[in-house]
Amino acid sequence: SSLLRELGMFSLEKGKLQGEHAYPADELMPLTCRGRVRGQEPSRGDVDDALGKFSLTLIDTLDTLVVLNKTKEFEEAVKKVIKDVNLDNDIVVSVFETNIRVLGGLLGGHSVAIMLKEKGEYMQWYNGELLHMAKELGYKLLPAFNTTSGLPYPRVNLKFGVRHPEARTGTESDTCTACAGTLILEFAALSRFTGTSIFEEYARKALDFIWEKRQRSSNLVGVTINIHTGDWVRKDSGVGAGIDSYYEYLLKAYVLLGDDSFLERFNTHYDAIMRYISQPPLLLDVHIHKPMLNARTWMDSLLAFFPGLQVLKGDIRPAIETHEMLYQVIKKHNFLPEAFTTDFRVHWAQHPLRPEFAESTYFLYKATGDPYYLEVGKTLIENLNKYARVPCGFAAMKDVRTGSHEDRMDSFFLAEMFKYLYLLFADKEDMIFDIEDYIFTTEAHLLPLWLSTTNQTISKKNTSTEYTELDDSNFDWTCPNTQILFPNDPMFAQSIREPLKNVVDKSCPRGISRAEDSLGSGPKPPLRARDFMASNPEHLEILKKMGVSLIHLKDGRVQLVQHAVQAASSLDAEDGLRFMQEMIELSSQQQKEQQLPPRAVQIVSHPFFGRVVLTAGPAQFGMDLSKHKTRGFVATIKPYNGCSEITNPEAVKEKIALMQRGQCMFAEKARNIQKAGAIGGIVIDDNEGSSSDTAPLFQMAGDGKNTDDITIPMLFLFNKEGNIILDAIREYEAVEVLLSDKAKDRDLEMENMDQKSSENDSHKPNSEESPSESQDAGAVSEEPEGGESSAVGDPDPLPPASTDSASVSMADEDPHASGPTEADAPEPACSPGDSQPQEQNTQTEANSKAHWDSKVQPMESILADWNEDIEAFEMMEKDEL
């Protein structure tokens, strides 16, 4: 009950903060306490396509207020939407995001509004205004469907539609499967509510087209598809980003609309997912034409919704297994990273407060009644309060390893996260309506189940489509009996979870090859990359059989190149491709380990109390913050660039110096402030508007000389993050920060701590060991007068094709490097993280140490006479890029 009250209080508090600091903007920026208005902030790329200047967060959160029993606030919010929201803006938005967040939000708000009106106490004045707005928005989305396939364009201009001279959109040719396949619930509900059938017809046509274009031998769909031709553009397939809600909406469309064809399609896909993608407890992407081969060795966080969908389908055991695996990852990192490898290391470190894991936790608790899932929910709430809560809201995590924040609070946080967490702990008497009368959309909006019998204008059965006969008795149950699926045994779920308790921290899962996985007795790979020795004649003979040849270079190295057509057989060619990929992964992992991870600047003084954590770039010199933290008050130096003797040493002594980037080397700045008595330094970027939200991690290098004389820690902040500290100084004068490799845990009790006691140890470095996880970064030396540059550590895009061999090489870690770099191949106990290969072109020294040329080589075209197996495998590599 206390958690319920806390959630309700937080939701109302954040709603007030959104209104106080951000309304009528689309989103709240919780670190800078202002609204995010598109065009007024640096572009974040596709992420900003969700923003349409239509008060996104307010609309997306309407039905959450009713779930939390905030009926008065809901009534006020509806009046604001009706009065203030304009849907006729000249702005290009995502069809997918606008559908699930705005159209879904309006329909969910309408659904609970008419429910409250029928109860007779609230909303008596309501006359379907939200539904009228939803219909207006529906018509504004329809121009996106003007394609020969019926698949919608990914973007539409709210005012001018698509392909209009002023629309600034309509030139796209591709869309993701989820983008085109996650429309049926909202569009069908709009048709059923209004009696206008066109919306449901368009959504059905898009779903029908995707179904017809599925890969017939595997019954899987790819990630992206050409909206004009129907060709698959990316042929990898999974249950995460790009496909996720397509599967969800097939099953839920059956539940809401009662159309058996949707259930038959879902069951066909589900059988393929469990056959190929599910490798309990993992869910790994495969190639639609070659589903026995994994397409990647990492998973994205969006697949966390899938256990909840499995509960709805009635397949409880794998749902428990995958959910438990995800929970172990969360317990290690406090949040679920955007992507993590099969051995549970961070692949992408961000976490935008996604709700999918909370959603699955709620559904598993509903299915099992196991109090274990209440403990999971309690952990989620505690982590949100401890690590994400900031003075103006909840901030997304820029890096789960350091605990640094991003100035971002997406609308789905209030629309979904709060809703599912509240429902997890709520008893029936806590609710003012029966939640079982509604189905959740992918954005957790509520649509009433009685829509299935209202305004039916479309035939329920698609008799023209043939479905595969599936040997699965579960498919006979249209309304699964939980007592049969889930035995009335409190130890049942625990017995499934127990083997996974230590899967993240203590075990090191070996990647299962598909050949081995087939019946558990297939042939093992003839040679693993980690075992290869260039001086071993047997190894060389195996390489030759796999189509891998050696080229001796003048510098003593040996280049490995794989020509699939020269392999002894198609299976040997597959082994060769796998061997080359392993080589690249080992090299990439070794290169990553040479990078320094990001650091954190945590504001610990009043009124922040450690709740604001800024992502900072590391320095290749000075104190190692993975071993010693530094805490102290900040002070601005004079001169501000720090390129000459400090003229205000009395203000800097025993403090952390703030200075501006530019006009001299970083190491020179460090020496000057160290001489003045500073205990640390923070360099703030002089590029106005730069931010860690949009720029790659910046790593400060030395000046080419010995830097052992620099003993204080130095960190780099982009302009936006630096201004947060400068603004705090202007407002509060005394600002204390903690420089560390990872944010210090902060409890609510910190607000009541005696600040004097913290001052006494503010200059004492704390020794603490840190995990050696790393992130790609560019190392840059400060150069005089604007000669500074930052190297991006992300892989290069796919290179152009050429004509001879099927080769894949790893991407250049530093696009600014002028020559090749070499790295010894490690011999890891676990399979390395996935840094996706681009061309297989691996170099090896005769002394059996493998080296790689990091300069990108062109990918050569697949020869016409390759058999289907080799073509599929090679296309898998290309699609991933």
Side-chain angles (χ1 to χ4, degrees), residues 336-372:
L336 197 61
E338 275 291 78
F340 54 94
T341 62
T342 53
D343 53 350
F344 309 111
R345 289 180 293 103
V346 173
H347 186 71
W348 296 332
Q350 305 93 329
H351 174 73
L353 306 183
R354 293 198 185 279
E356 285 77 15
F357 182 77
E359 173 186 356
S360 289
T361 303
Y362 164 68
F363 282 115
L364 272 170
Y365 179 67
K366 291 287 288 185
T368 66
D370 191 334
Y372 175 82

Side-chain angles (χ1 to χ4, degrees), residues 241-374:
I243 303 180
D244 48 2
S245 49
Y246 162 69
Y247 294 134
E248 176 186 3
Y249 269 38
L250 285 177
L251 182 55
K252 290 184 175 180
Y254 165 70
V255 175
L256 182 65
L257 306 177
D259 188 334
D260 291 344
S261 67
F262 291 129
L263 179 62
E264 291 166 345
R265 294 180 191 183
F266 173 80
N267 284 339
T268 301
H269 284 314
Y270 188 77
D271 176 74
I273 291 168
M274 300 309 290
R275 187 185 305 270
Y276 303 121
I277 295 171
S278 177
Q279 300 176 49
L282 310 179
L283 293 163
L284 292 176
D285 286 16
V286 299
H287 192 283
I288 59 175
H289 293 100
K290 193 67 178 176
M292 299 301 288
L293 293 173
N294 292 334
R296 58 172 60 146
T297 58
W298 50 271
M299 297 164 280
D300 67 73
S301 63
L302 286 171
L303 62 75
F305 91 100
F306 197 67
L309 188 64
Q310 290 180 304
V311 170
L312 189 62
K313 189 259 181 290
D315 201 0
I316 302 292
R317 176 180 286 274
I320 293 173
E321 290 174 336
T322 299
H323 179 274
E324 181 62 25
M325 176 270 292
L326 294 170
Y327 184 45
Q328 296 303 319
V329 175
I330 288 174
K331 289 205 291 187
K332 181 176 182 178
H333 299 294
N334 299 321
F335 298 98
L336 197 61
E338 275 291 78
F340 54 94
T341 62
T342 53
D343 53 350
F344 309 111
R345 289 180 293 103
V346 173
H347 186 71
W348 296 332
Q350 305 93 329
H351 174 73
L353 306 183
R354 293 198 185 279
E356 285 77 15
F357 182 77
E359 173 186 356
S360 289
T361 303
Y362 164 68
F363 282 115
L364 272 170
Y365 179 67
K366 291 287 288 185
T368 66
D370 191 334
Y372 175 82
Y373 295 108
L374 296 179

Side-chain angles (χ1 to χ4, degrees), residues 790-843:
S790 175
V792 182
D794 294 327
D796 289 345
L798 184 67
S802 66
T803 59
D804 214 358
S805 63
S807 62
V808 178
S809 80
M810 52 163 230
D812 190 350
E813 291 293 331
D814 184 354
H816 300 290
S818 59
T821 59
E822 301 176 359
D824 290 340
E827 296 186 3
C830 302
S831 58
D834 186 29
S835 180
Q836 290 301 317
Q838 296 186 0
E839 292 179 62
Q840 286 183 347
N841 188 345
T842 309
Q843 299 177 344

Side-chain angles (χ1 to χ4, degrees), residues 320 370 486-498:
I320 293 173
D370 191 334
F486 193 86
N488 190 15
D489 176 6
M491 300 302 292
F492 178 70
Q494 182 178 339
S495 67
I496 298 173
R497 292 192 300 264
E498 196 62 35

